[in-house]
């Protein structure tokens, strides 16, 4: 039976907001995730509720240098990255969307790969805060959120994955059939629930975290 988080201590919990930046969720964004954009109001309310109870909030922003020195295979995978139309450090596109702006003192971790833990100081900061549980929110469900959840579990954090505060985009047919955003999202939740995290709604998370 996959593990369940029966209770969540706000003092030892952080919400990781993955890549809710303009290049992913603004209208007309080059890498737009409509599903993620649509859930922003719910996520914003959830973050406010967490702040009121002392749950820490930390953000990630996926960025690359314009000279390509840290792009790896991303320029092969994503034409907007290759053309420098998206995810370029120092541009407005990598800023957190105004609807989810960090509160004063909250950190935005710059990352160059899907995971918020890979080659960043995320783990260092969380351990300094005494965190043992993280809640994953943001975009995209199957890539950056999934990878961050997996790495959190690999680092021995308890992981909550918020099913209605994560989102993705439609996948075209590349030889194996197309998948809608809803299908990609649902498949990823099923996989994570079995192997990595306690998948739950924002309401369930707040109920478990704020009942103490």
């Amino acid at each position: 039976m996959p593990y369940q988080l029966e209770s969540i201590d706000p003092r030892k919990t952080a919400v990781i907001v993955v890549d809710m930046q303009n290049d992913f969720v603004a209208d007309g964004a080059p890498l737009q995730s409509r599903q993620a954009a649509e859930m922003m109001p719910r996520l914003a309310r959830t973050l406010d509720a967490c702040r009121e109870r002392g749950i820490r909030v930390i953000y990630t922003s996926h960025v690359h240098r314009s000279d390509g020195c840290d792009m790896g295979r991303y320029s092969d995978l994503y034409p907007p990255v290759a053309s420098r139309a998206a995810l370029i450090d120092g541009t407005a596109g990598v800023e957190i969307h105004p609807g989810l702006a960090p509160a004063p003192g909250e950190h935005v971790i710059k990352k160059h790969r899907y995971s918020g833990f890979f080659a960043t100081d995320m783990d260092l900061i969380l351990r300094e805060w005494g965190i043992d549980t993280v809640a994953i929110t943001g975009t995209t469900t199957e890539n950056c959120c999934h990878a961050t959840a997996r790495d959190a579990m690999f680092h021995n954090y308890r992981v909550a994955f918020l099913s209605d505060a994560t989102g993705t985009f439609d996948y075209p047919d590349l030889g194996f059939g197309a998948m809608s955003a809803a299908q990609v999202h649902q498949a990823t939740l099923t996989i994570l629930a079995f192997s990595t995290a306690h998948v739950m709604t924002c309401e369930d998370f707040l109920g478990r975290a704020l009942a103490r």
Side-chain angles (χ1 to χ4, degrees):
M1 178 71 179
Y3 73 84
Q4 301 286 294
L5 304 182
E6 298 301 334
S7 64
I8 297 171
D9 185 346
R11 299 165 299 177
K12 297 181 179 180
T13 301
V15 178
I16 301 177
V17 183
V18 178
D19 297 357
M20 291 298 287
Q21 55 206 88
N22 292 320
D23 278 340
F24 288 114
V25 295
D27 289 339
L31 294 169
Q32 187 175 33
S33 168
R34 294 188 183 279
Q35 194 179 53
E38 290 169 358
M39 64 77 174
M40 277 201 297
R42 181 185 303 108
L43 176 54
R45 292 191 299 270
T46 300
L47 297 180
D48 285 343
C50 289
R51 293 174 181 121
E52 290 172 1
R53 301 305 197 279
I55 296 174
R56 292 186 182 269
V57 178
I58 190 166
Y59 293 75
T60 71
S61 177
H62 191 129
V63 307
H64 295 292
R65 294 176 175 85
S66 59
D67 67 358
C69 66
D70 55 22
M71 285 185 180
R73 300 273 69 86
Y74 285 98
S75 59
D76 299 330
L77 292 167
Y78 301 102
V81 176
S83 68
R84 311 300 194 264
L87 307 189
I88 300 304
D89 200 10
T91 66
V94 302
E95 299 297 321
I96 303 303
H97 189 278
L100 291 170
E106 291 178 347
H107 303 299
V108 180
I109 303 295
K110 293 182 179 181
K111 66 183 182 69
H112 309 302
R113 297 294 185 268
Y114 292 137
S115 172
F117 287 87
F118 183 85
T120 74
D121 54 2
M122 176 72 78
D123 183 55
L124 181 70
I125 291 171
L126 295 178
R127 294 195 186 281
E128 185 71 18
W129 286 343
I131 300 300
D132 66 15
T133 302
V134 296
I136 306 300
T137 68
T139 194
T140 60
T141 312
E142 76 291 355
N143 285 326
C144 294
C145 295
H146 186 176
T148 300
R150 279 277 172 91
D151 265 359
M153 187 267 282
F154 295 163
H155 283 81
N156 293 332
Y157 294 97
R158 304 193 312 165
V159 182
F161 197 95
L162 303 193
S163 59
D164 55 351
T166 45
T168 188
F169 51 84
D170 297 332
Y171 271 53
D173 185 356
L174 298 179
F176 303 95
M179 293 180 71
S180 69
Q183 290 173 319
V184 174
H185 185 71
Q186 184 63 42
T188 305
L189 296 180
T190 299
I191 293 165
L192 286 168
F194 182 85
S195 66
T196 303
H198 184 168
V199 176
M200 63 181 75
T201 64
C202 292
E203 181 179 6
D204 194 9
F205 172 73
L206 291 174
R208 293 170 189 269
L210 309 182
R212 297 177 64 85

